[in-house]
C-alpha cells in the first residue's frame, strides 16, 4: 500500500477455493463488462487488494496481451495461490459466462432480426459505456494527487483517443515514461 492510498484492512490470503468462488461470482455478475465489478469485489468487498494495488495490477494487466480482467484474475490468483490459484481464478471467472454466452448466442442467432432485440442491444451498449466511465474515475482516484501520473494518463488519453496513435507503441512509451517518473520520485 502506498502512503497516499486510503487505509483499509486487507483480508487474509484467499486459497484456491476462495479465489474460484470470488471470481465465479464476479463472472456471473459482470455480464457485459466485469471490470467495474472486479474492483468492487477485489478492493471493497473481499479486500484482497487496496485501491493502489488494484490500480497498479490493472495497469500491468492492461499492458499485457489478452483481456484485462482475464489477466487480472490470473495475476491475483498467482499472487495469493500460486499456479493452482491462477487456474482457480481463471476457471471461476470464465466458467459461467462461457456457458451463458453459448446459450444466448444461440438465442440471438435465432432472433437477431427482431427490432426489440436490436433496441435491447443498443441500450446495453449505452449502459456498458457508462460503466466504463465510472470505472475510469475509480481507477484514477488513487493517483489524483500525483501530478506526474495524471500527466502520463492525460498524454496517453490524448495519444489514443484524440490522435488515434497505435495502442502498443503508445503503451510502451507511456509505461516507460511512467516508470521513469516513479523511479525518479523514489530517489
Amino acid at each position: 500500500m502506498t502512503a497516499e492510498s486510503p487505509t483499509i484492512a486487507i483480508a487474509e490470503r484467499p486459497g484456491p477455493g476462495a479465489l474460484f468462488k470470488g471470481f465465479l461470482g464476479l463472472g456471473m455478475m459482470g455480464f457485459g463488462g466485469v471490470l467495474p465489478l472486479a474492483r468492487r469485489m477485489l478492493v471493497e468487498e473481499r479486500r484482497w487488494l487496496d485501491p493502489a494495488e488494484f490500480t497498479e495490477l490493472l495497469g500491468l494487466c492492461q499492458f499485457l496481451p489478452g483481456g484485462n480482467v482475464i489477466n487480472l484474475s490470473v495475476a491475483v490468483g498467482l499472487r495469493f495461490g500460486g499456479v493452482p490459484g491462477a487456474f482457480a481464478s481463471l476457471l471461476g471467472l470464465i466458467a459461467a459466462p462461457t456457458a451463458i454466452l453459448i446459450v444466448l448466442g444461440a438465442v440471438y442467432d435465432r432472433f437477431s432480426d427482431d427490432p426489440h432485440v436490436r433496441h435491447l442491444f443498443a441500450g446495453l451498449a449505452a449502459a456498458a459505456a457508462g460503466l466504463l466511465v465510472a470505472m475510469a474515475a475509480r481507477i484514477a482516484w488513487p493517483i489524483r494527487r500525483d501530478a506526474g501520473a495524471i500527466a502520463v494518463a492525460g498524454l496517453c488519453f490524448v495519444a489514443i483517443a484524440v490522435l488515434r496513435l497505435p495502442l502498443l507503441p503508445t503503451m510502451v512509451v507511456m509505461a516507460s515514461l511512467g516508470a521513469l517518473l516513479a523511479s525518479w520520485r523514489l530517489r
Side-chain angles (χ1 to χ4, degrees):
M1 183 181 333
T2 65
E4 294 184 13
S5 65
T7 302
I8 61 170
I10 301 298
E12 290 184 29
R13 296 175 62 91
L19 289 165
F20 177 81
K21 287 179 189 173
F23 281 98
L24 179 67
L26 186 63
M28 291 174 68
M29 292 180 357
F31 211 78
V34 75
L35 189 56
L37 300 173
R39 187 191 183 280
R40 179 179 300 159
M41 188 273 285
L42 291 168
V43 175
E44 298 169 15
E45 293 175 2
R46 301 211 180 224
R47 290 181 283 169
W48 292 342
L49 302 172
D50 69 32
E53 288 171 327
F54 179 84
T55 299
E56 291 168 5
L57 201 54
L58 181 62
L60 171 66
C61 293
Q62 287 180 320
F63 190 73
L64 298 172
N68 299 335
V69 178
I70 296 277
N71 294 341
L72 186 64
S73 72
V74 172
V76 169
L78 266 175
R79 178 177 182 171
F80 292 114
V83 172
F87 278 111
S89 297
L90 179 61
L91 185 60
L93 182 66
I94 66 172
T98 301
I100 293 170
L101 184 62
I102 290 170
V103 171
L104 287 182
V107 170
Y108 180 76
D109 189 45
R110 172 88 167 87
F111 299 104
S112 62
D113 293 333
D114 185 330
H116 296 97
V117 173
R118 287 198 305 265
H119 294 156
L120 172 69
F121 278 87
L124 289 173
L131 285 172
L132 285 175
V133 170
M135 184 65 214
R138 286 187 173 195
I139 289 173
W141 187 253
I143 63 168
R144 69 189 180 283
R145 294 188 183 120
D146 186 338
I150 290 171
V152 170
L155 286 172
C156 193
F157 176 80
V158 169
I160 299 294
V162 178
L163 301 176
R164 300 194 179 264
L165 296 176
L167 178 63
L168 186 57
T170 302
M171 290 291 289
V172 169
V173 170
M174 292 302 156
S176 300
L177 181 60
L180 284 173
L181 283 172
S183 75
W184 178 71
R185 253 186 267 128
L186 293 175
R187 289 183 189 171

